[in-house]
Amino acid sequence: MEARLEPQIQNNEEIKTVLRKVDVTYQLSDERSVETLLVYLPPNSTNNSLTHFFSAIKNGIMANFVFKCSEIEKKLGIKKDGAANRLFEKAIRKLSQHTAQGELGELILFTLMDVYLEAPKLLSKISTKTSRRVPVFGADGVHGQFYDGKFKLFLGESKLYKDFKSAASDATKSIKSAKDKYQDEFDLIDSFMDFPNLDVELEEHLLEILNPASNSDLEDILHNSCFIGFAKPELHECTSDEFQQKYIDIAGEYIGDFYRKLEKQELSVNKTVLMILPFECIDDLVKQFIKYMDIKK
């Protein structure tokens, strides 16, 4: 069956002007290639860049991150004045200041997977939360992608830490845990799978692929995605001309550190995509996010 999963976010070109990609590839010290995505907010205009990013979140990302596609289509299909704003306000009520840092990391993971990897989320865990102050358990994101006719299921992990290497240590442990508990994720997919242009034929096809009981090649399908946001204030002191090269140099050390820790968890480096994004200050980032979105306690 020839298939393609449609990205969910509609304002992806706007997002690419705010979360910019560095065109660079990486190899480990033993010359093995690894899949990485380096993104950044335009330097020397941090506050303005954050405002643009938060605006993009408010104008399209947030509702898509929180809700099932079918619910969004239903709400916006009514075409009443203020429908999009009411959907955003309902999405914000799923978040709390207590969980905002983790959920911002998950939101960025969702955004990068959809916009840059064209791998939409297969289910919305956050929409099923019964308490806004309780974080989502298991994988931080479950995304899918058809590539060269083969299906990839990405179990996602996100960390928004001050220190990259601490984030890498915790992230690789979480990735291992999520992979070991794949059956829990399959049960959720089986019950709540929802993404753009999902029809009965495609749903049945995916469920057959992902069912551990019917697919003996599940190891070939399971992949990992990891987003790490970290503080690197000295990067934001660079001129525009200096920024990219300094970022590439710093990233080289961090990428090697992450994949070494991944292999210590007995996970394959060629089945894990690492996405990174430096900020000036994580605490300030989260405070500004809470204020801009007006997230309640």
Side-chain angles (χ1 to χ4, degrees):
M1 173 182 180
E2 193 68 32
R4 178 179 181 270
L5 304 188
E6 295 289 336
Q8 185 175 349
I9 296 174
Q10 298 301 308
N11 58 333
N12 55 6
E13 291 305 317
E14 175 191 3
I15 293 164
K16 286 180 179 179
T17 66
V18 182
L19 292 179
R20 299 183 183 177
K21 174 185 175 182
V22 180
D23 288 320
V24 63
T25 57
Y26 279 96
Q27 290 183 326
L28 301 180
S29 58
D30 58 7
E31 299 187 350
R32 285 179 296 168
S33 296
V34 289
E35 187 175 1
T36 58
L37 176 64
L38 276 62
V39 291
Y40 64 96
L41 295 166
N44 298 328
S45 58
T46 302
N47 289 334
N48 195 38
S49 296
L50 277 179
T51 299
H52 288 164
F53 179 42
F54 291 158
S55 176
I57 290 173
K58 191 169 185 177
N59 293 333
I61 298 174
M62 181 63 75
N64 283 290
F65 167 62
V66 171
F67 296 120
K68 297 169 63 174
C69 296
S70 53
E71 179 169 2
I72 294 170
E73 291 167 358
K74 180 180 178 181
K75 297 291 186 185
L76 298 184
I78 298 173
K79 298 188 182 301
K80 286 187 177 180
D81 290 342
N85 191 54
R86 286 193 295 274
L87 192 63
F88 168 76
E89 291 173 352
K90 183 178 178 182
I92 286 297
R93 290 196 293 273
K94 288 284 187 180
L95 278 59
S96 78
Q97 294 180 15
H98 179 71
T99 59
Q101 181 165 333
E103 286 163 344
L104 176 56
E106 293 169 16
L107 184 150
I108 297 173
L109 168 70
F110 158 76
T111 303
L112 297 179
M113 291 296 294
D114 194 275
V115 171
Y116 279 107
L117 271 72
E118 296 187 355
K121 76 175 192 295
L122 299 186
L123 58 91
S124 175
K125 287 187 174 183
I126 200 168
S127 67
T128 64
K129 284 175 62 171
T130 55
S131 171
R132 54 197 291 272
R133 290 176 60 84
V134 175
V136 170
F137 295 103
D140 290 335
V142 182
H143 290 251
Q145 177 196 67
F146 279 99
Y147 186 79
D148 285 344
K150 294 182 178 180
F151 183 73
K152 294 181 179 181
L153 178 78
F154 290 95
L155 300 182
E157 181 62 32
S158 66
K159 297 294 180 190
L160 205 54
Y161 281 24
K162 294 177 183 178
D163 178 64
F164 181 95
K165 292 184 178 181
S166 297
S169 295
D170 288 350
T172 51
K173 293 173 185 174
S174 296
I175 291 169
K176 172 66 172 174
S177 177
K179 183 174 181 292
D180 290 344
K181 297 176 181 177
Y182 165 74
Q183 182 64 59
D184 294 343
E185 304 299 341
F186 173 75
D187 290 342
L188 286 173
I189 294 170
D190 192 30
S191 298
F192 300 108
M193 184 162 61
D194 184 89
F195 55 85
N197 300 321
L198 176 63
D199 57 28
V200 173
E201 183 181 8
L202 181 54
E203 181 175 11
E204 290 178 348
H205 179 56
L206 286 179
L207 290 177
E208 183 177 357
I209 290 174
L210 297 173
N211 190 344
S214 61
N215 190 347
S216 59
D217 297 325
L218 205 56
E219 279 293 321
D220 294 336
I221 294 165
L222 284 177
H223 289 69
N224 310 299
S225 59
C226 181
F227 164 71
I228 295 180
F230 59 100
K232 207 66 180 174
E234 57 265 42
L235 266 178
H236 296 274
E237 297 168 0
C238 297
T239 66
S240 297
D241 292 336
E242 297 171 334
F243 179 85
Q244 279 207 24
Q245 187 56 55
K246 188 165 184 179
Y247 182 19
I248 289 170
D249 293 342
I250 289 170
E253 176 191 349
Y254 285 170
I255 288 167
D257 177 77
F258 172 84
Y259 283 103
R260 282 192 296 273
K261 289 170 177 173
L262 191 76
E263 289 197 298
K264 286 182 179 179
Q265 298 295 328
E266 299 181 342
L267 295 166
S268 174
V269 300
N270 63 9
K271 297 182 69 177
T272 301
V273 55
L274 173 65
M275 301 166 284
I276 68 174
L277 171 59
F279 295 98
E280 188 167 0
C281 175
I282 298 300
D283 287 342
D284 186 57
L285 167 71
V286 175
K287 287 176 183 176
Q288 290 192 55
F289 174 66
I290 289 170
K291 182 178 179 180
Y292 192 97
M293 303 298 161
D294 193 22
I295 300 171
K296 307 302 181 185
K297 290 185 179 181

